[in-house]
Amino acid sequence: MLYLQDLKDGLEFDLGSYEVSREEMLDFSAKYDPQAFHLDDAVGEKLFGGIIASGWHTASIGQRLVVDNFLGKAACLASPGCEKVGFHQPVYAGDVLSGKLTVMETKPSASKPDRGTAKLNIELTNTHGDRVLSVVGIVMVACRPAP
């Protein structure tokens, strides 16, 4: 288990990779972001050379990679939110997204000595190595219990 004391500034975690399928892009977009360039081949082709994933779908994939490869190993208590989210390049069906998480800074809580916060930089790149998503997020993490 990783506690707040284990998360040093600059520490990096490989988040693994995930292949985006056309079917899931269409399903997510139909449910949550039904804009034409996410659903209509002709519109997507005209604007982006093909339909693209919703940025929120890309962020959800990133969150899954973070949970599977970082938060599941950390004494995470919750998250008060994100400071910044960027959608940098379109994501297409068949793209393989790879992720990296870097600890930016940690801070013990002033009011609750059993926890603190960690500011995290999360980035996803596509098959070609282009950055498609960046997130600066905050998580609350438990401190190591006293022996």
Side-chain angles (χ1 to χ4, degrees), residues 69-119:
N69 297 288
F70 174 72
L71 293 176
K73 303 171 189 174
C76 180
L77 302 172
S79 172
C82 297
E83 290 184 356
K84 185 176 180 181
V85 176
F87 307 130
H88 303 284
Q89 295 288 325
V91 171
Y92 298 92
D95 274 352
V96 176
L97 304 183
S98 299
K100 179 176 82 170
L101 179 150
T102 305
V103 177
M104 297 173 71
E105 67 180 15
T106 60
K107 185 166 65 170
S109 171
S111 61
K112 297 182 181 181
D114 66 333
R115 67 192 70 186
T117 58
K119 184 185 289 190

Side-chain angles (χ1 to χ4, degrees), residues 16-118:
S17 61
Y18 184 91
E19 184 171 353
V20 183
S21 75
R22 176 180 168 88
E23 180 181 342
E24 73 174 292
M25 284 173 45
L26 293 171
D27 183 54
F28 185 97
S29 294
K31 289 179 183 176
Y32 304 110
D33 194 1
Q35 298 181 75
F37 50 85
H38 295 315
L39 296 167
D40 185 302
D41 285 312
V43 175
E45 185 67 36
K46 181 179 178 182
L47 295 175
F48 297 104
I51 62 168
I52 62 170
S54 165
W56 298 113
H57 182 200
T58 304
S60 296
I61 292 168
Q63 177 64 15
R64 181 58 193 244
L65 291 173
V66 169
V67 170
D68 289 350
N69 297 288
F70 174 72
L71 293 176
K73 303 171 189 174
C76 180
L77 302 172
S79 172
C82 297
E83 290 184 356
K84 185 176 180 181
V85 176
F87 307 130
H88 303 284
Q89 295 288 325
V91 171
Y92 298 92
D95 274 352
V96 176
L97 304 183
S98 299
K100 179 176 82 170
L101 179 150
T102 305
V103 177
M104 297 173 71
E105 67 180 15
T106 60
K107 185 166 65 170
S109 171
S111 61
K112 297 182 181 181
D114 66 333
R115 67 192 70 186
T117 58

Side-chain angles (χ1 to χ4, degrees), residues 2-19:
L2 294 168
Y3 295 98
L4 186 68
Q5 298 90 328
D6 302 315
L7 303 178
K8 305 298 182 199
D9 296 0
L11 185 61
E12 293 184 355
F13 295 85
D14 179 355
L15 299 178
S17 61
Y18 184 91
E19 184 171 353

